[in-house]
Amino acid sequence: METYGILGWIVIGGLAGAIAKLLMPGRDPGGCIITILLGIAGALLAGFLGRSVGWYHDGEGAGFLAAIVGAFVILLIYRLVLARRR
């Protein structure tokens, strides 16, 4: 994802965040901007974890499916933290 530029990050982040929100039932926070940020953060998380495990090399970003999984994990963590507040 690093070669796409900022517009690519926004588009892929929006798609990954939207798919992650569709896969997880229930109400979700935010609108379009939060969805894009969720997808971008998911891609960053997936890339970091992938490099830590050895799936990706330095300078290599996570793929689209990994971005969806990362966004799903971030959304799950957000819901768990939000549930504890209530």
Side-chain angles (χ1 to χ4, degrees), residues 37-71:
L37 293 175
L38 176 69
I40 292 172
L44 292 173
L45 175 68
F48 173 76
L49 292 177
R51 280 189 292 281
S52 297
V53 175
W55 293 338
Y56 303 117
H57 302 295
D58 288 338
E60 186 178 19
F64 182 66
L65 292 177
I68 294 170
V69 171

Side-chain angles (χ1 to χ4, degrees), residues 2 13 20-21 26 34 43 54 65 67 73 83 85:
E2 294 171 353
K21 282 186 171 188
I34 298 299
L65 292 177
V73 168
R85 282 186 174 176

Side-chain angles (χ1 to χ4, degrees), residues 2-86:
E2 294 171 353
T3 60
Y4 294 126
I6 191 73
L7 186 60
W9 278 90
I10 292 170
V11 170
I12 291 173
L15 290 172
I19 291 171
K21 282 186 171 188
L22 288 174
L23 292 175
M24 184 171 285
R27 294 198 49 139
D28 293 313
C32 293
I33 300 297
I34 298 299
T35 302
I36 291 170
L37 293 175
L38 176 69
I40 292 172
L44 292 173
L45 175 68
F48 173 76
L49 292 177
R51 280 189 292 281
S52 297
V53 175
W55 293 338
Y56 303 117
H57 302 295
D58 288 338
E60 186 178 19
F64 182 66
L65 292 177
I68 294 170
V69 171
F72 189 85
V73 168
I74 290 175
L75 187 57
L76 178 67
I77 291 170
Y78 176 80
R79 285 188 179 183
L80 291 174
V81 168
L82 187 64
R84 287 188 180 182
R85 282 186 174 176
R86 292 180 185 179

